[in-house]
């Protein structure tokens, strides 16, 4: 496949420095290569074919192979809609080679310490500059055509991998001409542009997951490249495997929260339990993702230092810049504490709900990451164009070529509601405990030869016991939501929800295709880490999943595959 550089934006957007296309091809392990137009072959998919670049002008993408739609399936193990894949590739080309120090968007250039600026006016100017650069890049890449929140974040992954602050500004970008200063609420940790498609709690976690994945890749490159010949470095393989599992768990929760249909927030006079279903998953991600990944980043810093990659190296510089940018993205300790307090206020409403039976039947739609997302409501005055927000024609074909008729490929309505009433969309309260119960119930029915699945079910049953033990204290936690006890309960509930998200995403991916995401190794390692953070004892002997998880991570590094839940192939 070859990708040609897009034309300069015609809309009045801030100037964007686009590095020139390099004639040298990326490593042979990469699935996609950027070459001059003369070297292109295969059919051309341009803006006239429905994959227009919005206000950013034309961008022709030549796809090797007889069917242009095959691009999405080559792009990732869980393929996105074609429009999303094209937008991500355009953005990747605009950003240029991440190893070229002369490229302003390369990893060495972005990781370089910024000059010190004094005063709040300088800081505000830097923030507006980031918003301008991000908006120009997104307009040129055609991101305005991607309307679903989870697909917008997925298309932004090339930028999120490189720079946390710039990526956060891109996630909250609303479109050409939208002022970056428009805010929803006055709280710094919850503010986001009014026009942003992504809920206020989720831009920071989404950007942090991607940026932390880049640091993990740098550490895995150091260990995989030298660990075979240096026994002292092989000790870090289990550490990086655990970090990989934690990263997949955090991204699973963030993706599920992004895939939930948007719902209006509670009114000014609403009580503590109002809007629990609408914003609770976002609040969980806003708290637990920065908390868990703070431990992961500390471990990655130790691995990089032991491998000789100090602050002057690319990996060390990326980690240092990511740490500096945490407050800008609202994913530092202060931002996590804000969302923890919100969870503490919602504890009584959660505890008041009746216990639910184990979820049976298909996994709810937000957990099925391979399915098209639910259509988002059109903005006021916006005319429909016959396409759903993720780029599919409404009521026609999915990326696999199947007729949808307004339903997902398995026949369910695209709102997160399943037959039988187990809804996780709309205004329903989101209760993930049903997935914990389902995982626990499968422990007894697991095949004796499948030790991994049996161990995963037994661990889910242990976590379910912990959740049941928290119901009574949560009922009285609302009297003092700021008390230490209430915050501790919120912490434990958030970790249990993280475990339930892991179980749901893993089960949905276990569809017979042999995907790593559908296996038990990463889920068992992630749940083991969650149990350790909760102080819950593990249920007896279980197979050690760290070796196969490390093998997957090392294989992805060698093949040029990202450390995300979709197993996205990297362009460079």
């Amino acid at each position: 496949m070859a990708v040609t550089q897009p034309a300069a934006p015609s809309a009045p957007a801030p100037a964007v420095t686009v590095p020139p296309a390099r004639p040298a091809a990326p490593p042979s392990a990469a699935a996609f290569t950027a070459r001059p137009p003369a070297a292109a072959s295969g059919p051309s998919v341009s803006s006239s074919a429905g994959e227009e670049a919005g206000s950013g002008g034309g961008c022709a993408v030549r796809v090797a192979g007889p069917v242009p739609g095959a691009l999405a399936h080559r792009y990732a193990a869980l393929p996105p809609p074609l429009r999303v894949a094209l937008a991500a590739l355009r953005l990747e080309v605009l950003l240029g080679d991440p190893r070229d120090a002369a490229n302003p968007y390369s990893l060495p250039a972005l990781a370089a310490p910024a000059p010190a600026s004094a005063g709040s006016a300088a800081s505000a100017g830097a923030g507006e500059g980031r918003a301008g650069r991000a908006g120009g890049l997104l307009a040129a890449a055609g991101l305005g055509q991607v309307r679903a929140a989870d697909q917008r974040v997925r298309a932004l992954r090339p930028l999120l991998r490189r720079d946390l602050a710039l990526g956060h500004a891109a996630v909250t970008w609303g479109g050409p001409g939208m002022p970056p200063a428009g805010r929803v609420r006055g709280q710094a940790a919850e503010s986001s542009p009014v026009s942003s498609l992504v809920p206020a709690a989720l831009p920071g976690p989404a950007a942090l997951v991607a940026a932390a994945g880049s640091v993990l890749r740098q550490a895995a490159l150091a260990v995989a490249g030298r660990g075979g010949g240096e026994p002292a470095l092989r000790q870090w393989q289990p550490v990086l495997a655990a970090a990989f599992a934690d990263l997949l768990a955090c991204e699973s929760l963030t993706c599920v929260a992004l895939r939930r249909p948007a719902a209006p927030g509670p009114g000014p006079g609403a009580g503590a339990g109002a809007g629990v279903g609408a914003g609770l998953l976002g609040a969980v991600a806003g708290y637990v993702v920065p908390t868990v990944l703070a431990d992961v980043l500390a471990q990655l810093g130790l691995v990089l230092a032991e491998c000789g990659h100090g602050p002057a190296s690319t990996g060390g510089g990326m980690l240092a810049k990511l740490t500096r940018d945490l407050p800008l993205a609202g994913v530092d300790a202060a931002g996590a504490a804000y969302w923890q307090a919100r969870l503490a206020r919602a504890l009584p409403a959660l505890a008041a709900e009746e216990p639910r039976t184990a979820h049976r039947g298909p996994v709810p739609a937000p957990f099925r990451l391979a399915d098209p997302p639910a259509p988002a409501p059109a903005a006021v005055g916006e005319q429909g164009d016959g396409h759903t927000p993720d780029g599919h024609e409404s009521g026609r074909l999915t990326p696999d070529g199947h007729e949808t008729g307004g339903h997902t490929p398995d026949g369910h309505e695209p709102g997160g509601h399943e037959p039988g009433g187990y809804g996780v969309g709309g205004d329903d309260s989101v209760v993930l405990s049903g997935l914990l119960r389902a995982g626990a119930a499968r422990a007894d029915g697991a095949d004796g030869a499948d030790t991994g699945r049996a161990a995963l079910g037994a661990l889910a049953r242990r976590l379910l016991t912990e959740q049941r033990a928290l119901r009574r204290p949560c009922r009285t936690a609302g009297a003092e939501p700021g008390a230490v006890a209430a915050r501790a309960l919120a912490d434990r509930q958030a970790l249990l929800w993280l475990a339930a998200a892991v179980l749901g995403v893993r089960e949905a991916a276990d569809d017979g295709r042999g995907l790593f995401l559908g296996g038990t190794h990463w889920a068992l390692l992630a749940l083991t880490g969650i149990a350790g953070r909760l102080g819950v004892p593990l249920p007896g002997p279980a197979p050690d999943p760290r070796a196969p998880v490390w093998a997957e991570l090392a294989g992805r590094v060698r093949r040029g595959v990202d450390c995300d839940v979709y197993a996205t192939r990297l362009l460079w």
Side-chain angles (χ1 to χ4, degrees), residues 446-473:
D447 186 2
D450 193 348
T451 57
R453 192 178 299 270
L456 187 63
L459 187 51
R461 183 164 51 194
R462 182 63 55 87
L463 295 175
L464 176 60
T465 302
E466 172 68 14
Q467 187 189 47
R468 288 169 174 166
L470 295 179
R471 292 183 60 83
R472 179 171 296 179

Side-chain angles (χ1 to χ4, degrees), residues 325-352:
D325 290 345
L326 291 178
L328 299 176
V331 285
D332 57 346
Y338 173 81
W339 295 110
Q340 184 190 37
R342 180 152 179 184
L343 289 175
R345 291 194 297 270
L347 288 175
L350 292 176

Side-chain angles (χ1 to χ4, degrees), residues 430-451:
V430 183
V431 181
L432 302 182
S433 58
L435 292 168
L436 279 177
R437 290 184 173 86
R442 280 187 291 272
D444 296 332
D447 186 2
D450 193 348
T451 57

Side-chain angles (χ1 to χ4, degrees), residues 294-325:
D295 295 338
V296 171
L297 294 177
Q299 294 288 339
L300 294 180
L302 182 60
V303 173
L304 288 171
E306 289 293 325
C307 294
H309 293 259
S313 66
T314 299
M318 291 172 59
L319 179 59
K321 186 182 186 304
L322 192 158
T323 304
R324 292 195 303 268
D325 290 345

